[in-house]
Every structure is written in C-alpha cells, then in structure tokens.
Amino acid sequence: MEPAYRRIAAAYRDKISSGELAPGERLPTEHEIGEQFGVVRQTVRTGLGVLVTEGLIVARRPHGYFVREWERLIYRPQEKSRPMPARATMDRFSQQISDEGRVPSMSIDIALVQATPDLAERLRVEPGATVVIRRRVRFINGEPVNINDSHFPLDLVKDSEIVSPSYIPRGTDQVLADLGHKQERAVDEIFVRMPTPDEIRRLGLGPGTPVAVHYDTGYTADDRPVACTVNVLPGDRHRIVFERRWRENEPLS
Amino acid sequence: MEPAYRRIAAAYRDKISSGELAPGERLPTEHEIGEQFGVVRQTVRTGLGVLVTEGLIVARRPHGYFVREWERLIYRPQEKSRPMPARATMDRFSQQISDEGRVPSMSIDIALVQATPDLAERLRVEPGATVVIRRRVRFINGEPVNINDSHFPLDLVKDSEIVSPSYIPRGTDQVLADLGHKQERAVDEIFVRMPTPDEIRRLGLGPGTPVAVHYDTGYTADDRPVACTVNVLPGDRHRIVFERRWRENEPLS
DNA sequence: TCAAGTACATTGTCTAGACGATCTGAAGGA
DNA sequence: TCCTTCAGATCGTCTAGACAATGTACTTGA
C-alpha cells in the first residue's frame, strides 16, 4: 500500500491537473485534510510538501495553501544578435516590457572578481584571473524576473564606460565594438538546475522553482571570447524561444 | 536565530560547494548529525530534505546520504535541421553515443491520442482532435536519458510507416518529406519545470531534478505545422547548446 | 565450498503533542 | 468615525519515540 503522504500528494496533484482546483484557489487546511485521510498533521505536511517542491502549490501563512499560477515571459536569445535600433533609449528587454504597458526597471552593480572555473574556461583566461562583472537584476512592475551577470576580461574594458555602474542605452556589445572588439559569433548554453540560496534571495523565488541558466559567450571575428553573460531565468517566469531554418548545403561536421 | 534545520542545510551546502565533500562522497548519518547539532533525527531529516530537493544530495537506504554527481550530455537542437547522411543506419543521437563508445538504445510505442491544448495550438488542429503520437525513450548503457514524443496530425501520416512502432533509420522528417510535407522552418521553445510523476517514472528521476521541456515544431514552406516533438530533458543529464552569428542586414521585426 | 538465513545499520513512515510566527478581522476605545 | 488592541486561525519548527523497509555482511548448515 502506498504511504499516506503520497496518497495525499497524488490526490491533490490530480485535483490540480484536472482543473478541479484552479490556479489561485485555496486548498483545505492541513487539519481538514488530516481528518479526511485519518492521519496527523505532520503526515499531511509531508504530502503537501511534495507538491510544494513540485511547484504546484504555495503555502501562505496564515492563509493556507494555494494552487500556484505560472505566467511566462518570452525570452529570445537570438534577438541578442540583431543590431540595436540607432536611436534606442533603452535596451531590448525594457523596450518590449514598456511596449506591453508594464514598467521595466533594473538594478546594476559593478565589481572586479576572480573568474570562477566555468567563466575562466569560457573567456579563456586563467582560473582566478580578474574579470569585470556587471551584475544586473531586471524587474517588471517591481518584481524581479531575471539575473544578467555580464563578465569581461579586465584588460579589455578597464578604461571604458562598462566599469561605471550606470545604464548604457546602446548596450555593452556596442561599447565593446567601439573598443575594437566587435562580436561576430556567440555560443549559447542552457543548463537546468535548482537555484542556489543566493539566487532564491535575489529573485524572490518560491520553493519548487527551478531555473534555466543561459551562458551567452560572444566571440570576435578572430575567434576570441570577449564577453560571457550568465542569465538566470526562473522557470516559472520564462519561456525560451528560438527559430531554425533548414540548412541544405552545409557540410556535416 | 535561524531554524536548526536550515543551519544544517546551510552547513552541508557549504561543505559541498567548497569541495570539502566531493561528488559521490558520503555524509554522516542522520543520527550523527543530530548529535552534532543537538537536535532530534526528524529535524536533521528536514534539513537534509532541503538539500535533496535542491538536487545536491541523494539518500540511499540503508547506506546513507551521498553528494550527487552531475554528468551532462550535449543537446544541440540546431543539429535537427541538418540533412541526415545518405547511408545512415541510426539516428544522430545513437550515432553520437556509439561514437563515444557507449551503448544507445530506444523504446518506441505508437498511439492515437486526443491533442492536448498545448499540442493542438502548435499543430493548429482542434483541441481534442486525434493525433498520432510516437513515444520514444532513449537510453545510454541501459539508463534512460530523455523522452521524445513526436506528434503528427492523423490525416498527414495515417498510411505511412510513422504509425508502425519500428525504428526508422532515415528519420520521421524524411518520411514526412517523402509524403510531400518537407519541413523548412522550425520553432523551438524551452520550458523549465519540475517533472510530473509520470516523467519521474519513465526517466527514473531522483528528487530535486528539474526538467527542460523542448517543443520542436516543424513547418513546411507554406507555413503549415506538420510535426511537434516534445523532448523532456532531465536537468542533471543535459546541456543545451546552440550557436548564433550576427545578422547585420536583417530588418528589425 | 556454497547457499540460506539472520543480525544490523540506515533511511522511510507515522503518531502525539507543544510552542512560535504571522496575518485577518472583530472588539473596544478615543 | 477611525485607530488600536487582541483573539483566533493557520502554517512553521521541534521533540520523543515507534515500527517498517532495505541492503550488507556475517553466521550457520548442508
């Protein structure tokens, strides 16, 4: 026989997936569920805890448990490799959001840090070498939606406006291009994992919310990596989209 | 003061991220940790439970808790839009795996199902319309690594080999092309979420493992969707990679 | 020697109950 | 009327202990 806590989890998972419990709707209290299934409160908690870590429900003390709602922003990595409009006053993300009638905002801070192994490999610097990190958190209507940490080798950007913690309307790619490091090619890598406590704090994530981590490494024409941006996208707030066309004539690698 | 269970979680999270506890290494028993922190076993369990749902450790009864190891396969959606080699005897995935000296295998089953709303929208059929689903689970060395469920509108493929539950070396894209539905363009969408119990079962997932869900919708030259493949990629086993080049002359949409 | 059985360590499930933390809404007072 | 206070509901944390389930390793018997 299946353990009681799993029967409870399965029962409410079904109610949610069948639509009997709609997003935003409230579940019975732990006490009530306990009576119904004939178990003590702790067992109910274990069962509902499963659904919390699955991201299906959230607990709001002292109101109860509620079915979670997911609203996703479209995220297009390919947009990054289009030229910016000449007279842009904000970046693509902010433009899109304000076109939708919502209020974009951003926090920026700059630091010099030692490259972690994953960054050192992508930027082709020594592990522990100093890199400039430009940390941004994007908000919509005051709610954090994603993290964008751009990393640059220190010697490339040390005298440019990239190291000043202010907004750069034309974008850091353009600044790099003006410095003679025009990007021609980029490699995108996407990892899926659970967030770190730091990411949970910065993004205000609830339990059961995985993240996609998008590494965007930009290369110049002579194949030198000049920037690596780490985007942390909460799973409940994003949908990553890109397009492909068939390439008939290309040789197989 | 922070609750005891979170102090325990933080302590072992630090030991793992600092490398003091290496992947595969064993943690002390619940009993030992309880003595060290001066709490009962249940509290230790709550703390270690946090790390389990974060995907950092796994419990193996009756051996104890172990630091989890992540080994990721490279997944390239863009490879899908390259022509297959003429004399291919296996698909791209199997070829790659066997080139690496590992043993690929696959289970296939075919069914007629009613389109769920998300599929109906992508294939532009009525919700509830019948579609052919070609369900595959891929294995490496006998371990499941991902799910690929390809969906086709029934009237397009009803007399073809797509509805037979056998291996098609040239690939279903080629079968569709031979039927006069050659794909020219595809839209990729990636979602991140926790797996369903069904996915956990089919993929043998441990707790704390999120999945990336990759929808690959293929369109013909006259912009009709003819296939939608849903790939479920466990986060601990994949790394999604694609490449971009800058497009100078394209108009902004 | 080899197979079957058994003791043991460890995690898994569950009970019963206590007190804390947080928000709502009602009662009471200015 | 409006603000303050406070009781109550609900989830959060923790204790103490019981028995089950599951591999491992040792013991026992043929």
PDB file of all heavy atoms in Angstrom, chain A residues 79-112:
ATOM      1  N   GLU A  79      17.540  37.215 -30.452  1.00  0.00           N
ATOM      2  CA  GLU A  79      17.386  38.664 -30.585  1.00  0.00           C
ATOM      3  C   GLU A  79      18.676  39.397 -30.254  1.00  0.00           C
ATOM      4  O   GLU A  79      18.917  40.507 -30.710  1.00  0.00           O
ATOM      5  CB  GLU A  79      16.285  39.173 -29.652  1.00  0.00           C
ATOM      6  CG  GLU A  79      14.894  38.726 -29.998  1.00  0.00           C
ATOM      7  CD  GLU A  79      14.398  39.355 -31.281  1.00  0.00           C
ATOM      8  OE1 GLU A  79      14.648  40.552 -31.480  1.00  0.00           O
ATOM      9  OE2 GLU A  79      13.792  38.625 -32.093  1.00  0.00           O
ATOM     10  N   LYS A  80      19.487  38.746 -29.408  1.00  0.00           N
ATOM     11  CA  LYS A  80      20.711  39.410 -28.963  1.00  0.00           C
ATOM     12  C   LYS A  80      21.666  39.681 -30.114  1.00  0.00           C
ATOM     13  O   LYS A  80      22.515  40.555 -30.026  1.00  0.00           O
ATOM     14  CB  LYS A  80      21.428  38.541 -27.920  1.00  0.00           C
ATOM     15  CG  LYS A  80      20.669  38.413 -26.621  1.00  0.00           C
ATOM     16  CD  LYS A  80      21.377  37.402 -25.721  1.00  0.00           C
ATOM     17  CE  LYS A  80      20.501  36.979 -24.556  1.00  0.00           C
ATOM     18  NZ  LYS A  80      20.466  37.973 -23.489  1.00  0.00           N
ATOM     19  N   SER A  81      21.560  38.891 -31.190  1.00  0.00           N
ATOM     20  CA  SER A  81      22.498  39.097 -32.289  1.00  0.00           C
ATOM     21  C   SER A  81      21.864  39.861 -33.444  1.00  0.00           C
ATOM     22  O   SER A  81      22.190  39.655 -34.588  1.00  0.00           O
ATOM     23  CB  SER A  81      23.062  37.752 -32.766  1.00  0.00           C
ATOM     24  OG  SER A  81      22.058  36.792 -32.888  1.00  0.00           O
ATOM     25  N   ARG A  82      20.943  40.743 -33.118  1.00  0.00           N
ATOM     26  CA  ARG A  82      20.450  41.699 -34.102  1.00  0.00           C
ATOM     27  C   ARG A  82      20.973  43.068 -33.707  1.00  0.00           C
ATOM     28  O   ARG A  82      21.100  43.357 -32.529  1.00  0.00           O
ATOM     29  CB  ARG A  82      18.920  41.778 -34.085  1.00  0.00           C
ATOM     30  CG  ARG A  82      18.238  40.599 -34.741  1.00  0.00           C
ATOM     31  CD  ARG A  82      16.817  40.532 -34.229  1.00  0.00           C
ATOM     32  NE  ARG A  82      16.031  39.572 -34.989  1.00  0.00           N
ATOM     33  CZ  ARG A  82      15.354  39.895 -36.088  1.00  0.00           C
ATOM     34  NH1 ARG A  82      15.362  41.131 -36.551  1.00  0.00           N
ATOM     35  NH2 ARG A  82      14.665  38.976 -36.728  1.00  0.00           N
ATOM     36  N   PRO A  83      21.238  43.911 -34.695  1.00  0.00           N
ATOM     37  CA  PRO A  83      21.712  45.258 -34.337  1.00  0.00           C
ATOM     38  C   PRO A  83      20.624  46.038 -33.622  1.00  0.00           C
ATOM     39  O   PRO A  83      19.434  45.873 -33.892  1.00  0.00           O
ATOM     40  CB  PRO A  83      22.054  45.882 -35.692  1.00  0.00           C
ATOM     41  CG  PRO A  83      21.365  45.044 -36.714  1.00  0.00           C
ATOM     42  CD  PRO A  83      21.177  43.681 -36.139  1.00  0.00           C
ATOM     43  N   MET A  84      21.036  46.875 -32.687  1.00  0.00           N
ATOM     44  CA  MET A  84      20.084  47.719 -31.960  1.00  0.00           C
ATOM     45  C   MET A  84      19.623  48.849 -32.879  1.00  0.00           C
ATOM     46  O   MET A  84      20.395  49.336 -33.692  1.00  0.00           O
ATOM     47  CB  MET A  84      20.767  48.334 -30.735  1.00  0.00           C
ATOM     48  CG  MET A  84      21.114  47.355 -29.644  1.00  0.00           C
ATOM     49  SD  MET A  84      19.698  46.984 -28.618  1.00  0.00           S
ATOM     50  CE  MET A  84      19.549  48.518 -27.696  1.00  0.00           C
ATOM     51  N   PRO A  85      18.377  49.302 -32.741  1.00  0.00           N
ATOM     52  CA  PRO A  85      17.956  50.481 -33.495  1.00  0.00           C
ATOM     53  C   PRO A  85      18.858  51.659 -33.123  1.00  0.00           C
ATOM     54  O   PRO A  85      19.281  51.794 -31.982  1.00  0.00           O
ATOM     55  CB  PRO A  85      16.521  50.731 -33.011  1.00  0.00           C
ATOM     56  CG  PRO A  85      16.103  49.467 -32.359  1.00  0.00           C
ATOM     57  CD  PRO A  85      17.340  48.800 -31.861  1.00  0.00           C
ATOM     58  N   ALA A  86      19.116  52.537 -34.114  1.00  0.00           N
ATOM     59  CA  ALA A  86      20.110  53.601 -33.925  1.00  0.00           C
ATOM     60  C   ALA A  86      19.763  54.518 -32.753  1.00  0.00           C
ATOM     61  O   ALA A  86      20.624  54.888 -31.966  1.00  0.00           O
ATOM     62  CB  ALA A  86      20.230  54.420 -35.207  1.00  0.00           C
ATOM     63  N   ARG A  87      18.502  54.886 -32.634  1.00  0.00           N
ATOM     64  CA  ARG A  87      18.151  55.892 -31.615  1.00  0.00           C
ATOM     65  C   ARG A  87      17.488  55.249 -30.403  1.00  0.00           C
ATOM     66  O   ARG A  87      16.536  55.788 -29.823  1.00  0.00           O
ATOM     67  CB  ARG A  87      17.269  56.963 -32.237  1.00  0.00           C
ATOM     68  CG  ARG A  87      15.955  56.423 -32.766  1.00  0.00           C
ATOM     69  CD  ARG A  87      15.417  57.253 -33.931  1.00  0.00           C
ATOM     70  NE  ARG A  87      14.148  56.688 -34.370  1.00  0.00           N
ATOM     71  CZ  ARG A  87      14.043  55.471 -34.911  1.00  0.00           C
ATOM     72  NH1 ARG A  87      15.116  54.704 -35.065  1.00  0.00           N
ATOM     73  NH2 ARG A  87      12.871  55.030 -35.295  1.00  0.00           N
ATOM     74  N   ALA A  88      17.977  54.104 -29.990  1.00  0.00           N
ATOM     75  CA  ALA A  88      17.391  53.410 -28.846  1.00  0.00           C
ATOM     76  C   ALA A  88      17.664  54.186 -27.559  1.00  0.00           C
ATOM     77  O   ALA A  88      18.764  54.677 -27.345  1.00  0.00           O
ATOM     78  CB  ALA A  88      17.965  52.006 -28.733  1.00  0.00           C
ATOM     79  N   THR A  89      16.662  54.296 -26.715  1.00  0.00           N
ATOM     80  CA  THR A  89      16.866  54.932 -25.410  1.00  0.00           C
ATOM     81  C   THR A  89      16.849  53.894 -24.304  1.00  0.00           C
ATOM     82  O   THR A  89      17.186  54.191 -23.170  1.00  0.00           O
ATOM     83  CB  THR A  89      15.769  55.967 -25.128  1.00  0.00           C
ATOM     84  OG1 THR A  89      14.508  55.289 -25.148  1.00  0.00           O
ATOM     85  CG2 THR A  89      15.770  57.056 -26.166  1.00  0.00           C
ATOM     86  N   MET A  90      16.433  52.690 -24.645  1.00  0.00           N
ATOM     87  CA  MET A  90      16.527  51.627 -23.645  1.00  0.00           C
ATOM     88  C   MET A  90      16.861  50.324 -24.342  1.00  0.00           C
ATOM     89  O   MET A  90      16.793  50.216 -25.554  1.00  0.00           O
ATOM     90  CB  MET A  90      15.230  51.519 -22.837  1.00  0.00           C
ATOM     91  CG  MET A  90      13.934  51.619 -23.597  1.00  0.00           C
ATOM     92  SD  MET A  90      12.527  51.428 -22.489  1.00  0.00           S
ATOM     93  CE  MET A  90      11.662  52.954 -22.698  1.00  0.00           C
ATOM     94  N   ASP A  91      17.244  49.324 -23.551  1.00  0.00           N
ATOM     95  CA  ASP A  91      17.625  48.060 -24.163  1.00  0.00           C
ATOM     96  C   ASP A  91      16.388  47.307 -24.636  1.00  0.00           C
ATOM     97  O   ASP A  91      15.257  47.697 -24.386  1.00  0.00           O
ATOM     98  CB  ASP A  91      18.474  47.230 -23.196  1.00  0.00           C
ATOM     99  CG  ASP A  91      17.703  46.898 -21.929  1.00  0.00           C
ATOM    100  OD1 ASP A  91      16.481  46.772 -21.985  1.00  0.00           O
ATOM    101  OD2 ASP A  91      18.340  46.777 -20.870  1.00  0.00           O
ATOM    102  N   ARG A  92      16.640  46.213 -25.350  1.00  0.00           N
ATOM    103  CA  ARG A  92      15.545  45.476 -25.967  1.00  0.00           C
ATOM    104  C   ARG A  92      14.513  44.998 -24.954  1.00  0.00           C
ATOM    105  O   ARG A  92      13.321  45.099 -25.158  1.00  0.00           O
ATOM    106  CB  ARG A  92      16.124  44.265 -26.710  1.00  0.00           C
ATOM    107  CG  ARG A  92      15.929  44.332 -28.195  1.00  0.00           C
ATOM    108  CD  ARG A  92      16.493  43.091 -28.825  1.00  0.00           C
ATOM    109  NE  ARG A  92      17.936  43.055 -28.686  1.00  0.00           N
ATOM    110  CZ  ARG A  92      18.762  43.446 -29.644  1.00  0.00           C
ATOM    111  NH1 ARG A  92      18.301  43.909 -30.789  1.00  0.00           N
ATOM    112  NH2 ARG A  92      20.064  43.367 -29.473  1.00  0.00           N
ATOM    113  N   PHE A  93      15.031  44.459 -23.850  1.00  0.00           N
ATOM    114  CA  PHE A  93      14.127  43.952 -22.823  1.00  0.00           C
ATOM    115  C   PHE A  93      13.195  45.047 -22.315  1.00  0.00           C
ATOM    116  O   PHE A  93      11.974  44.902 -22.304  1.00  0.00           O
ATOM    117  CB  PHE A  93      14.951  43.379 -21.664  1.00  0.00           C
ATOM    118  CG  PHE A  93      14.134  42.944 -20.488  1.00  0.00           C
ATOM    119  CD1 PHE A  93      13.609  41.665 -20.432  1.00  0.00           C
ATOM    120  CD2 PHE A  93      13.881  43.815 -19.433  1.00  0.00           C
ATOM    121  CE1 PHE A  93      12.851  41.263 -19.344  1.00  0.00           C
ATOM    122  CE2 PHE A  93      13.117  43.419 -18.353  1.00  0.00           C
ATOM    123  CZ  PHE A  93      12.602  42.143 -18.308  1.00  0.00           C
ATOM    124  N   SER A  94      13.788  46.184 -21.932  1.00  0.00           N
ATOM    125  CA  SER A  94      12.976  47.268 -21.379  1.00  0.00           C
ATOM    126  C   SER A  94      11.972  47.777 -22.406  1.00  0.00           C
ATOM    127  O   SER A  94      10.829  48.099 -22.082  1.00  0.00           O
ATOM    128  CB  SER A  94      13.883  48.404 -20.917  1.00  0.00           C
ATOM    129  OG  SER A  94      14.846  47.913 -20.016  1.00  0.00           O
ATOM    130  N   GLN A  95      12.429  47.841 -23.672  1.00  0.00           N
ATOM    131  CA  GLN A  95      11.547  48.301 -24.740  1.00  0.00           C
ATOM    132  C   GLN A  95      10.327  47.392 -24.851  1.00  0.00           C
ATOM    133  O   GLN A  95       9.184  47.848 -24.871  1.00  0.00           O
ATOM    134  CB  GLN A  95      12.331  48.303 -26.061  1.00  0.00           C
ATOM    135  CG  GLN A  95      11.570  48.944 -27.202  1.00  0.00           C
ATOM    136  CD  GLN A  95      11.356  50.432 -26.939  1.00  0.00           C
ATOM    137  OE1 GLN A  95      12.302  51.187 -26.794  1.00  0.00           O
ATOM    138  NE2 GLN A  95      10.103  50.846 -26.863  1.00  0.00           N
ATOM    139  N   GLN A  96      10.594  46.082 -24.878  1.00  0.00           N
ATOM    140  CA  GLN A  96       9.495  45.122 -25.018  1.00  0.00           C
ATOM    141  C   GLN A  96       8.498  45.250 -23.876  1.00  0.00           C
ATOM    142  O   GLN A  96       7.291  45.296 -24.081  1.00  0.00           O
ATOM    143  CB  GLN A  96      10.071  43.699 -25.061  1.00  0.00           C
ATOM    144  CG  GLN A  96       9.009  42.634 -25.308  1.00  0.00           C
ATOM    145  CD  GLN A  96       9.498  41.236 -24.920  1.00  0.00           C
ATOM    146  OE1 GLN A  96      10.711  40.969 -24.912  1.00  0.00           O
ATOM    147  NE2 GLN A  96       8.570  40.351 -24.604  1.00  0.00           N
ATOM    148  N   ILE A  97       9.039  45.336 -22.660  1.00  0.00           N
ATOM    149  CA  ILE A  97       8.163  45.408 -21.499  1.00  0.00           C
ATOM    150  C   ILE A  97       7.336  46.682 -21.505  1.00  0.00           C
ATOM    151  O   ILE A  97       6.123  46.654 -21.258  1.00  0.00           O
ATOM    152  CB  ILE A  97       8.994  45.334 -20.197  1.00  0.00           C
ATOM    153  CG1 ILE A  97       9.726  44.002 -20.119  1.00  0.00           C
ATOM    154  CG2 ILE A  97       8.100  45.513 -18.978  1.00  0.00           C
ATOM    155  CD1 ILE A  97       8.855  42.799 -20.313  1.00  0.00           C
ATOM    156  N   SER A  98       7.973  47.811 -21.827  1.00  0.00           N
ATOM    157  CA  SER A  98       7.199  49.047 -21.759  1.00  0.00           C
ATOM    158  C   SER A  98       6.213  49.105 -22.922  1.00  0.00           C
ATOM    159  O   SER A  98       5.150  49.717 -22.809  1.00  0.00           O
ATOM    160  CB  SER A  98       8.121  50.267 -21.687  1.00  0.00           C
ATOM    161  OG  SER A  98       8.699  50.528 -22.908  1.00  0.00           O
ATOM    162  N   ASP A  99       6.519  48.428 -24.045  1.00  0.00           N
ATOM    163  CA  ASP A  99       5.533  48.326 -25.121  1.00  0.00           C
ATOM    164  C   ASP A  99       4.279  47.595 -24.655  1.00  0.00           C
ATOM    165  O   ASP A  99       3.184  47.844 -25.134  1.00  0.00           O
ATOM    166  CB  ASP A  99       6.128  47.576 -26.322  1.00  0.00           C
ATOM    167  CG  ASP A  99       7.128  48.439 -27.087  1.00  0.00           C
ATOM    168  OD1 ASP A  99       7.232  49.637 -26.767  1.00  0.00           O
ATOM    169  OD2 ASP A  99       7.813  47.910 -27.970  1.00  0.00           O
ATOM    170  N   GLU A 100       4.479  46.669 -23.725  1.00  0.00           N
ATOM    171  CA  GLU A 100       3.338  45.904 -23.211  1.00  0.00           C
ATOM    172  C   GLU A 100       2.593  46.659 -22.114  1.00  0.00           C
ATOM    173  O   GLU A 100       1.678  46.115 -21.497  1.00  0.00           O
ATOM    174  CB  GLU A 100       3.822  44.551 -22.643  1.00  0.00           C
ATOM    175  CG  GLU A 100       4.332  43.592 -23.704  1.00  0.00           C
ATOM    176  CD  GLU A 100       5.042  42.399 -23.082  1.00  0.00           C
ATOM    177  OE1 GLU A 100       5.001  42.259 -21.840  1.00  0.00           O
ATOM    178  OE2 GLU A 100       5.636  41.614 -23.839  1.00  0.00           O
ATOM    179  N   GLY A 101       3.025  47.876 -21.843  1.00  0.00           N
ATOM    180  CA  GLY A 101       2.342  48.672 -20.834  1.00  0.00           C
ATOM    181  C   GLY A 101       2.739  48.338 -19.413  1.00  0.00           C
ATOM    182  O   GLY A 101       2.061  48.701 -18.459  1.00  0.00           O
ATOM    183  N   ARG A 102       3.867  47.632 -19.275  1.00  0.00           N
ATOM    184  CA  ARG A 102       4.338  47.340 -17.929  1.00  0.00           C
ATOM    185  C   ARG A 102       5.595  48.160 -17.647  1.00  0.00           C
ATOM    186  O   ARG A 102       6.167  48.765 -18.554  1.00  0.00           O
ATOM    187  CB  ARG A 102       4.616  45.837 -17.790  1.00  0.00           C
ATOM    188  CG  ARG A 102       3.333  45.030 -17.995  1.00  0.00           C
ATOM    189  CD  ARG A 102       3.483  43.601 -17.565  1.00  0.00           C
ATOM    190  NE  ARG A 102       4.124  42.791 -18.583  1.00  0.00           N
ATOM    191  CZ  ARG A 102       4.329  41.486 -18.439  1.00  0.00           C
ATOM    192  NH1 ARG A 102       3.941  40.873 -17.340  1.00  0.00           N
ATOM    193  NH2 ARG A 102       4.908  40.786 -19.396  1.00  0.00           N
ATOM    194  N   VAL A 103       5.988  48.189 -16.400  1.00  0.00           N
ATOM    195  CA  VAL A 103       7.076  49.080 -16.009  1.00  0.00           C
ATOM    196  C   VAL A 103       8.372  48.297 -15.778  1.00  0.00           C
ATOM    197  O   VAL A 103       8.479  47.555 -14.810  1.00  0.00           O
ATOM    198  CB  VAL A 103       6.716  49.843 -14.714  1.00  0.00           C
ATOM    199  CG1 VAL A 103       7.822  50.836 -14.360  1.00  0.00           C
ATOM    200  CG2 VAL A 103       5.382  50.538 -14.871  1.00  0.00           C
ATOM    201  N   PRO A 104       9.341  48.460 -16.695  1.00  0.00           N
ATOM    202  CA  PRO A 104      10.622  47.769 -16.501  1.00  0.00           C
ATOM    203  C   PRO A 104      11.535  48.580 -15.604  1.00  0.00           C
ATOM    204  O   PRO A 104      11.474  49.806 -15.577  1.00  0.00           O
ATOM    205  CB  PRO A 104      11.195  47.721 -17.917  1.00  0.00           C
ATOM    206  CG  PRO A 104      10.671  48.958 -18.568  1.00  0.00           C
ATOM    207  CD  PRO A 104       9.325  49.255 -17.929  1.00  0.00           C
ATOM    208  N   SER A 105      12.368  47.907 -14.851  1.00  0.00           N
ATOM    209  CA  SER A 105      13.422  48.604 -14.123  1.00  0.00           C
ATOM    210  C   SER A 105      14.579  47.632 -13.956  1.00  0.00           C
ATOM    211  O   SER A 105      14.493  46.468 -14.330  1.00  0.00           O
ATOM    212  CB  SER A 105      12.914  49.115 -12.770  1.00  0.00           C
ATOM    213  OG  SER A 105      12.416  48.050 -11.999  1.00  0.00           O
ATOM    214  N   MET A 106      15.665  48.137 -13.395  1.00  0.00           N
ATOM    215  CA  MET A 106      16.877  47.331 -13.383  1.00  0.00           C
ATOM    216  C   MET A 106      17.774  47.829 -12.267  1.00  0.00           C
ATOM    217  O   MET A 106      17.818  49.017 -11.993  1.00  0.00           O
ATOM    218  CB  MET A 106      17.571  47.494 -14.736  1.00  0.00           C
ATOM    219  CG  MET A 106      18.775  46.624 -14.904  1.00  0.00           C
ATOM    220  SD  MET A 106      19.174  46.344 -16.656  1.00  0.00           S
ATOM    221  CE  MET A 106      19.197  47.995 -17.305  1.00  0.00           C
ATOM    222  N   SER A 107      18.452  46.921 -11.610  1.00  0.00           N
ATOM    223  CA  SER A 107      19.493  47.332 -10.678  1.00  0.00           C
ATOM    224  C   SER A 107      20.823  46.894 -11.272  1.00  0.00           C
ATOM    225  O   SER A 107      20.932  45.833 -11.867  1.00  0.00           O
ATOM    226  CB  SER A 107      19.276  46.682  -9.307  1.00  0.00           C
ATOM    227  OG  SER A 107      19.601  45.317  -9.348  1.00  0.00           O
ATOM    228  N   ILE A 108      21.817  47.752 -11.150  1.00  0.00           N
ATOM    229  CA  ILE A 108      23.133  47.459 -11.733  1.00  0.00           C
ATOM    230  C   ILE A 108      24.181  47.589 -10.656  1.00  0.00           C
ATOM    231  O   ILE A 108      24.135  48.522  -9.857  1.00  0.00           O
ATOM    232  CB  ILE A 108      23.478  48.455 -12.866  1.00  0.00           C
ATOM    233  CG1 ILE A 108      22.426  48.400 -13.955  1.00  0.00           C
ATOM    234  CG2 ILE A 108      24.863  48.180 -13.439  1.00  0.00           C
ATOM    235  CD1 ILE A 108      22.695  49.334 -15.121  1.00  0.00           C
ATOM    236  N   ASP A 109      25.107  46.649 -10.588  1.00  0.00           N
ATOM    237  CA  ASP A 109      26.300  46.919  -9.813  1.00  0.00           C
ATOM    238  C   ASP A 109      27.504  46.266 -10.460  1.00  0.00           C
ATOM    239  O   ASP A 109      27.404  45.262 -11.146  1.00  0.00           O
ATOM    240  CB  ASP A 109      26.097  46.564  -8.321  1.00  0.00           C
ATOM    241  CG  ASP A 109      26.526  45.186  -7.955  1.00  0.00           C
ATOM    242  OD1 ASP A 109      27.690  45.016  -7.604  1.00  0.00           O
ATOM    243  OD2 ASP A 109      25.666  44.280  -8.027  1.00  0.00           O
ATOM    244  N   ILE A 110      28.634  46.920 -10.303  1.00  0.00           N
ATOM    245  CA  ILE A 110      29.864  46.515 -10.985  1.00  0.00           C
ATOM    246  C   ILE A 110      30.851  46.036  -9.943  1.00  0.00           C
ATOM    247  O   ILE A 110      30.907  46.575  -8.842  1.00  0.00           O
ATOM    248  CB  ILE A 110      30.502  47.729 -11.699  1.00  0.00           C
ATOM    249  CG1 ILE A 110      29.481  48.447 -12.553  1.00  0.00           C
ATOM    250  CG2 ILE A 110      31.726  47.315 -12.491  1.00  0.00           C
ATOM    251  CD1 ILE A 110      29.096  47.722 -13.783  1.00  0.00           C
ATOM    252  N   ALA A 111      31.618  45.028 -10.283  1.00  0.00           N
ATOM    253  CA  ALA A 111      32.647  44.578  -9.353  1.00  0.00           C
ATOM    254  C   ALA A 111      33.784  43.946 -10.131  1.00  0.00           C
ATOM    255  O   ALA A 111      33.625  43.564 -11.300  1.00  0.00           O
ATOM    256  CB  ALA A 111      32.067  43.573  -8.352  1.00  0.00           C
ATOM    257  N   LEU A 112      34.929  43.875  -9.493  1.00  0.00           N
ATOM    258  CA  LEU A 112      36.042  43.104 -10.026  1.00  0.00           C
ATOM    259  C   LEU A 112      36.092  41.815  -9.224  1.00  0.00           C
ATOM    260  O   LEU A 112      36.154  41.863  -7.996  1.00  0.00           O
ATOM    261  CB  LEU A 112      37.358  43.873  -9.864  1.00  0.00           C
ATOM    262  CG  LEU A 112      37.460  45.191 -10.624  1.00  0.00           C
ATOM    263  CD1 LEU A 112      38.830  45.824 -10.395  1.00  0.00           C
ATOM    264  CD2 LEU A 112      37.243  44.948 -12.112  1.00  0.00           C
TER     265      LEU A 112
END
